[in-house]
C-alpha cells in the first residue's frame, strides 16, 4: 500500500496513466493511427508544444507564469528573418541577435516580477501584448506587409535548417529533429530538477519563496533564470518555425501559451508551484499531440477537439488534487521517511517544500 | 567572459558581411505619384473593419483604402476590432466624431445594425464591404463592395467538379467564421462529397500536422481547398509529408502563393481582390459626397471571385509583390 501511495504521489503518474489510456483508445478506434508514420507525426506535433512546455513547466514549479511564451516564438523568428532580409546579412547573425533579444525579454520578465512584486501573470500579460503589437507593427514597417519575406535564398539558411528543422525518413515515416531536441531538453530539465542544486532551488522558490530566501537560496537569480529558460526555448521553437516554413505570419503564436501551461498542468505540475517534474510535462505535451491528431486520424469532427481538451484538463486537475491530498496524508509521509530509493527522488524533494 | 564576448562579437561581424537573397536594394517601392495631398478634399472617412490584427488579407484592404484616400484627397481614419460589439462601438465613435462617411464590414449584421442606423440617422452615408452582401441594404448602407462568399465557393466547386474531383477537403482556419463556412458550403453545393476540417490557423506546425493526419487517415481525399494563403502553404508541406496526390486550390493570394501557382504546386487561387474592396469603398464615398454617385445602382458590386491560375499568373505576380493583389 505504501509503495502504491508512493508511486501515486509522483507528479507524472496520473498523466502517464491518462496518456496510455488515450493512446490505446485511439489505437483501437482509428486504424490509420496504427502506423509508425502516424506515431512520428504525433511526436512532432507534441515536440513543438513540448519544447517550450519544458521551460514553462520549470517556471511553474518555480511558482511563476509566462503568458508571453506563445508570441515570443513568432517574435524570435521575425527578428531573425527581418533583420537578415532587410540588411542582407547571414542568417546566423540574425539567429544570434534573436537569441539575445529573447533572453533579454526573459530577463526583463523575471526582473520586473522580482523587482515590483506584481504577479507574473500580469507582467507577462503585458509582455504578451507588447510583443504581439510589435510583431505586427515592426513587420509591417520593415517588409511592407504583415508576413515576413521568404528568406530561403539568404546565406546560412541550409545550415540553420539542419539544426532546427532537419528531418529524416524512417520507413514511410518522417522523424523531425525537434523530437530529438525535445527529448534532450526533457532529460536535461529532469536531471537538473532531480540531481542539481539548482533543482532544489527551483522547488524551494516555488514552494515558498520567503522560506527559500531564509535558507540562503538565491530566489531572484533562480526565478529570472527560469524566465530566461522559457524564452530560450521559445526562441528555439521560433527558429524551427522559421526554418521549416521560411515565412512567418506576424499575428501567429497567440493562444499557444495556454497549450504550454495545459501540458504542464496535465503533466502534474501544480499551478501554485513547488510540485511537478519534467517527464510529467513531456507526457502532458504528448497527451496534447495524441488527442489533437488522434481525433483527426479517427475521422471525427475536429470541431469537438477543444471540448475534449477541456474535459481532459479538468480530469487532470482533479486527479492531481486527489493525488496531492493522498500524498500529503500520514501514510505517504511515512513512506517518504523510508531510506531513499532512486524512484523516491521526486517525492522526497516534494516533501522538502516549505 | 570577456574574451568570449569579444569572440562572439567578431563572429557576428564576420557573419554580417553582405550576402545575397535579402531585400533588393535597387528596388524602390514608390507609391504612385500625382493626385491630391492627403485631406485636401476636406472629407473625412472612417474605415472600420473586423480585421484580426496581423492578417495579410486585411493588410491589402487597408492598403487599397489608403491609396484611395491619397488619390481622392480624403482623410482616412482606420480602426478595427474582431469583436462585434467593439466594432459597433468603433462605428458609433465615428458617428460621434461627425465624419463625412463611413465604410465598414458588415460581418455581424445584427450586432452592427444599431450603430449603422445611428450613422444613417445622423445623415452620414455608410458603405458596406467584404461581408454582409445580403444584409447591407436593410441596414441602410448605400453601396456594397465585396465578394459573394457562397458564389465564390460554388465557382471553385464547379471548376474542380469539372476535373472529376469527388472528395475535396475544405480547411477552415478560424472557428465559427460565417464567411469561411459559407465558402465551404459553396464548394459542397457543387461537389457533394466535400468534407470540412477545422485547424488552428494561428500555428503553422499545427495546421501542417492536422492536414497530414487527415490525408493519411483518408486516402480518398483528392483535392484540398485552403481558405487563406498561409494555410495553402502549410497544405503543401502536409501533402509532401503524407505523400498525398491531392491537388490544391486556395482562396486569397500573396507573393508566395503566386510563385506556387507559377511552379504548379497550387492549381489556382480565388482572389476576391481585397485591395479593390478597400479602394472602392473610399472612392465611392468620395464620389457620393462630391457628386451624388451611386455605384452599383442599388446592387452590390462584386470584387470577385477572380481566378488566378497558370494562364494569368505572369501578369499578376508583380502586383502581389507590391501588396496590391
Amino acid at each position: 500500500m505504501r509503495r502504491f501511495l508512493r508511486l501515486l504521489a509522483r507528479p507524472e503518474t496520473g498523466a502517464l496513466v491518462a496518456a496510455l489510456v488515450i493512446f490505446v483508445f485511439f489505437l483501437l478506434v482509428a486504424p490509420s493511427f496504427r502506423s509508425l508514420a502516424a506515431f512520428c507525426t504525433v511526436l512532432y506535433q507534441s515536440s513543438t508544444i513540448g519544447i517550450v512546455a519544458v521551460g514553462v513547466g520549470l517556471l511553474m514549479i518555480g511558482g511563476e507564469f509566462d503568458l508571453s511564451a506563445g508570441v515570443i516564438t513568432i517574435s524570435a523568428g521575425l527578428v531573425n528573418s527581418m533583420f537578415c532580409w532587410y540588411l542582407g546579412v547571414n542568417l546566423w547573425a540574425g539567429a544570434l541577435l534573436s537569441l539575445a533579444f529573447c533572453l533579454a525579454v526573459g530577463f526583463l520578465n523575471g526582473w520586473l516580477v522580482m523587482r515590483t512584486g506584481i504577479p507574473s501573470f500580469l507582467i507577462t500579460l503585458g509582455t504578451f501584448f507588447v510583443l504581439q503589437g510589435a510583431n505586427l507593427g515592426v513587420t509591417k514597417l520593415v517588409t511592407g506587409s504583415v508576413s515576413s519575406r521568404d528568406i530561403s535564398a539568404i546565406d546560412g539558411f541550409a545550415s540553420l535548417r539542419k539544426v532546427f528543422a532537419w528531418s529524416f525518413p524512417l520507413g514511410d515515416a518522417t522523424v523531425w529533429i525537434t523530437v530529438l531536441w525535445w527529448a534532450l531538453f526533457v532529460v536535461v530539465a529532469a536531471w537538473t530538477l532531480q540531481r542539481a542544486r539548482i533543482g532544489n532551488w527551483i522547488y524551494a522558490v516555488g514552494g515558498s519563496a520567503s522560506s527559500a530566501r531564509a535558507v540562503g537560496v538565491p530566489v531572484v537569480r533562480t526565478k529570472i533564470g527560469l524566465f530566461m529558460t522559457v524564452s530560450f526555448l521559445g526562441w528555439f521553437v521560433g527558429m524551427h518555425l522559421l526554418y521549416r516554413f521560411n515565412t512567418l505570419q506576424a499575428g501567429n503564436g497567440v493562444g499557444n501559451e495556454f497549450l504550454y501551461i495545459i501540458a504542464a498542468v496535465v503533466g502534474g505540475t501544480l499551478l501554485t508551484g513547488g510540485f511537478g517534474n519534467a517527464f510529467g510535462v513531456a507526457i502532458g505535451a504528448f497527451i496534447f499531440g495524441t488527442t489533437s491528431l488522434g481525433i483527426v486520424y479517427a475521422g471525427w469532427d475536429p470541431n469537438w477537439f477543444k471540448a475534449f481538451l477541456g474535459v481532459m484538463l479538468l480530469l487532470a486537475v482533479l486527479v492531481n488534487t486527489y493525488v496531492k491530498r493522498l500524498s500529503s496524508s500520514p501514510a505517504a509521509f511515512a513512506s517518504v521517511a523510508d531510506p531513499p530509493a532512486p524512484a523516491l527522488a521526486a517525492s522526497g524533494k516534494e516533501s522538502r517544500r516549505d | 567572459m570577456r574574451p568570449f564576448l569579444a569572440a562572439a562579437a567578431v563572429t557576428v561581424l564576420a557573419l554580417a558581411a553582405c550576402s545575397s537573397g535579402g531585400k533588393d536594394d535597387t528596388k524602390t517601392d514608390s507609391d504612385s505619384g500625382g493626385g491630391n495631398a492627403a485631406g485636401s478634399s476636406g472629407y473625412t472617412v472612417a474605415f472600420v473593419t473586423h480585421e484580426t490584427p496581423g492578417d495579410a488579407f486585411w493588410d491589402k484592404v487597408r492598403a487599397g483604402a489608403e491609396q484611395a484616400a491619397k488619390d481622392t484627397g480624403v482623410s482616412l481614419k482606420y480602426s478595427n476590432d474582431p469583436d462585434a460589439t467593439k466594432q459597433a462601438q468603433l462605428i458609433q465613435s465615428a458617428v460621434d466624431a461627425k465624419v463625412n462617411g463611413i465604410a465598414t464590414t458588415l460581418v455581424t449584421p445584427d450586432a452592427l445594425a444599431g450603430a449603422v442606423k445611428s450613422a444613417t440617422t445622423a445623415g452620414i452615408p455608410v458603405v458596406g464591404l467584404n461581408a454582409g452582401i445580403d444584409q447591407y441594404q436593410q441596414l441602410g448602407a448605400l453601396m456594397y463592395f465585396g465578394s459573394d462568399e457562397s458564389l465564390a465557393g460554388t465557382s471553385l466547386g464547379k471548376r474542380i467538379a469539372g476535373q472529376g474531383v469527388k472528395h475535396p477537403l475544405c480547411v477552415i482556419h478560424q472557428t465559427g467564421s460565417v464567411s469561411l463556412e459559407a465558402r465551404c458550403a459553396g464548394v459542397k453545393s457543387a461537389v457533394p462529397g466535400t468534407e470540412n476540417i477545422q485547424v488552428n490557423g494561428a500555428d503553422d506546425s499545427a495546421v501542417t500536422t492536422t492536414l497530414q493526419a487527415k490525408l493519411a487517415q483518408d486516402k480518398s481525399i483528392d483535392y484540398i481547398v485552403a481558405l487563406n494563403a498561409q494555410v495553402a502553404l502549410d497544405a503543401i508541406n502536409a501533402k509532401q509529408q503524407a505523400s498525398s496526390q491531392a491537388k490544391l486550390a486556395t482562396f486569397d493570394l500573396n507573393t508566395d502563393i503566386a510563385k506556387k501557382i507559377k511552379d504548379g504546386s497550387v492549381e489556382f487561387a480565388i482572389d476576391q481582390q481585397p485591395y479593390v474592396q478597400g479602394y472602392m469603398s473610399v472612392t465611392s464615398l468620395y464620389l457620393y459626397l462630391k457628386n451624388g454617385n451611386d455605384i452599383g445602382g442599388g446592387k452590390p458590386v462584386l470584387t470577385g471571385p477572380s481566378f488566378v491560375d497558370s494562364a494569368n499568373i505572369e501578369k499578376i505576380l508583380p502586383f502581389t509583390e507590391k501588396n496590391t493583389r
Side-chain angles (χ1 to χ4, degrees):
Chain A
M1 184 60 193
R2 268 193 200 171
R3 188 174 290 265
F4 177 69
L5 276 178
R6 233 154 49 193
L7 192 68
L8 215 57
R10 289 176 65 89
E12 73 273 33
T13 307
L16 189 62
V17 172
L20 284 175
V21 169
I22 292 170
F23 194 75
V24 171
F25 171 73
F26 281 118
L27 280 180
L28 291 177
V29 299
S32 52
F33 193 73
R34 297 170 213 147
S35 70
L36 185 64
F39 183 67
C40 288
T41 310
V42 167
L43 276 185
Y44 168 66
Q45 166 77 77
S46 313
S47 72
T48 59
I49 299 297
I51 288 176
V52 189
V54 170
V56 170
L58 290 180
L59 182 70
M60 282 170 66
I61 294 172
E64 304 290 345
F65 271 104
D66 190 347
L67 294 181
S68 65
V71 271
I72 204 168
T73 60
I74 303 299
S75 304
L78 288 175
V79 168
N80 184 348
S81 163
M82 289 189 301
F83 177 73
C84 296
W85 177 77
Y86 195 80
L87 298 177
V89 297
N90 190 298
L91 287 166
W92 280 94
L96 292 177
L97 178 81
S98 166
L99 176 61
F101 169 79
C102 290
L103 290 177
V105 171
F107 178 84
L108 192 72
N109 274 336
W111 185 77
L112 280 174
V113 167
M114 297 318 293
R115 191 65 193 239
T116 60
I118 297 171
S120 53
F121 191 93
L122 292 173
I123 297 277
T124 57
L125 186 65
T127 325
F128 164 77
F129 284 131
V130 171
L131 287 178
Q132 198 188 354
N135 281 357
L136 291 173
V138 176
T139 309
K140 174 76 187 166
L141 272 182
V142 173
T143 68
S145 91
V146 290
S147 52
S148 72
R149 298 300 181 94
D150 189 338
I151 52 156
S152 54
I154 303 181
D155 289 351
F157 184 82
S159 52
L160 278 158
R161 177 173 253 191
K162 280 225 166 60
V163 175
F164 293 106
W166 182 61
S167 66
F168 61 90
L170 187 75
D172 61 342
T174 308
V175 179
W176 287 89
I177 196 171
T178 49
V179 176
L180 307 179
W181 283 117
W182 180 37
L184 177 74
F185 289 134
V186 170
V187 169
V188 168
W191 183 87
T192 309
L193 281 175
Q194 310 297 343
R195 296 270 177 268
R197 192 162 56 140
I198 292 181
N200 279 328
W201 292 353
I202 294 172
Y203 282 111
V205 297
S208 164
S210 49
S211 315
R213 190 174 283 118
V215 296
V217 172
V219 176
V220 175
R221 260 199 290 154
T222 308
K223 289 209 176 186
I224 291 181
L226 287 173
F227 277 107
M228 289 173 76
T229 308
V230 173
S231 43
F232 167 75
L233 293 169
W235 170 78
F236 203 92
V237 168
M239 292 298 104
H240 168 70
L241 292 175
L242 179 63
Y243 291 104
R244 177 161 187 208
F245 297 101
N246 307 358
T247 60
L248 291 173
Q249 293 256 90
N252 277 6
V254 177
N256 279 5
E257 61 277 355
F258 290 111
L259 300 185
Y260 308 142
I261 293 173
I262 287 170
V265 171
V266 169
T269 314
L270 274 194
L271 282 165
T272 44
F275 189 77
N277 74 27
F279 291 119
V281 178
I283 295 167
F286 180 71
I287 290 181
F288 175 82
T290 312
T291 320
S292 62
L293 293 180
I295 290 177
V296 181
Y297 280 116
W300 296 342
D301 182 356
N303 287 355
W304 288 96
F305 165 64
K306 286 277 167 62
F308 201 89
L309 194 67
V311 170
M312 245 174 30
L313 181 65
L314 285 176
L315 281 179
V317 175
L318 281 176
V319 169
N320 287 349
T321 319
Y322 178 67
V323 165
K324 192 80 189 25
R325 201 174 299 148
L326 265 187
S327 66
S328 50
S329 69
F333 267 119
S335 71
V336 169
D338 283 353
L344 254 164
S347 50
K349 283 242 167 75
E350 191 267 323
S351 70
R352 242 180 271 153
R353 326 192 293 110
D354 296 287
Chain B
M1 191 66 189
R2 205 175 271 165
F4 171 73
L5 280 180
V10 168
T11 319
V12 170
L13 285 176
L15 288 171
C18 257
S19 73
S20 61
K23 182 187 170 206
D24 188 354
D25 282 334
T26 55
K27 188 170 61 192
T28 49
D29 294 333
S30 66
D31 292 310
S32 71
N36 295 322
S40 64
S41 74
Y43 298 129
T44 301
V45 166
F47 199 94
V48 188
T49 73
H50 62 281
E51 170 192 353
T52 305
D55 191 316
F57 177 90
W58 290 104
D59 200 44
K60 291 200 181 93
V61 175
R62 187 173 176 178
E66 278 166 356
Q67 187 60 48
K70 205 179 278 177
D71 292 349
T72 54
V74 161
S75 148
L76 188 75
K77 304 266 181 263
Y78 183 89
S79 58
N80 63 293
D81 203 308
D83 181 288
T85 52
K86 297 205 186 89
Q87 194 192 348
Q89 199 57 49
L90 290 173
I91 298 173
Q92 187 59 50
S93 52
V95 175
D96 298 341
K98 298 192 170 58
V99 295
N100 301 100
I102 296 175
T104 182
T105 61
L106 299 167
V107 65
T108 43
D110 297 336
L112 301 177
V116 172
K117 185 150 197 331
S118 78
T120 48
T121 330
I124 300 172
V126 177
V127 162
L129 71 139
N130 181 260
I133 191 165
D134 297 324
Q135 294 90 359
Y136 81 96
Q137 275 170 327
Q138 70 210 61
L139 291 180
L142 296 171
M143 294 169 261
Y144 176 88
F145 302 92
S147 167
D148 182 332
E149 301 288 10
S150 66
L151 172 71
T154 314
S155 330
L156 189 150
K158 279 186 182 146
R159 178 161 172 158
I160 62 176
Q163 304 173 15
V165 170
K166 293 273 176 284
H167 188 184
L169 185 67
C170 193
V171 189
I172 295 182
H173 57 268
Q174 198 177 18
T175 319
S177 161
V178 177
S179 52
L180 298 186
E181 298 275 357
R183 289 177 184 175
C184 287
V187 178
K188 197 178 172 71
S189 73
V191 190
T194 305
E195 185 180 351
N196 291 5
I197 188 169
Q198 188 86 49
V199 297
N200 174 12
D203 184 343
D204 288 319
S205 67
V207 174
T208 311
T209 48
T210 308
L211 290 181
Q212 189 184 333
K214 185 65 193 176
L215 292 171
Q217 180 255 331
D218 192 342
K219 299 282 185 198
S220 69
I221 290 167
D222 48 5
Y223 215 98
I224 303 171
V225 179
L227 302 184
N228 85 12
Q230 189 64 36
V231 170
L233 295 173
D234 295 340
I236 296 174
N237 275 313
K239 267 177 51 184
Q240 280 167 0
Q241 288 296 313
S243 1
S244 159
Q245 296 303 312
K247 294 204 166 81
L248 174 65
T250 182
F251 279 76
D252 297 351
L253 196 59
N254 67 17
T255 317
D256 292 325
I257 286 298
K259 287 179 184 152
K260 296 292 180 193
I261 291 173
K262 204 176 163 189
D263 76 18
S265 29
V266 175
E267 277 215 317
F268 64 94
I270 287 229
D271 186 10
Q272 58 169 313
Q273 307 189 87
Y275 187 86
V276 177
Q277 293 181 1
Y279 193 92
M280 286 310 295
S281 305
V282 173
T283 310
S284 66
L285 277 169
Y286 170 77
L287 287 173
Y288 176 81
L289 291 165
K290 181 155 181 121
N291 209 27
N293 290 119
D294 176 12
I295 300 178
K299 292 265 168 36
V301 178
L302 296 186
T303 60
S306 155
F307 285 90
V308 179
D309 55 20
S310 53
N312 58 7
I313 189 65
E314 291 295 345
K315 189 171 165 51
I316 291 170
L317 186 61
F319 300 132
T320 66
E321 279 162 2
K322 281 159 70 187
N323 200 32
T324 58
R325 277 277 319 240

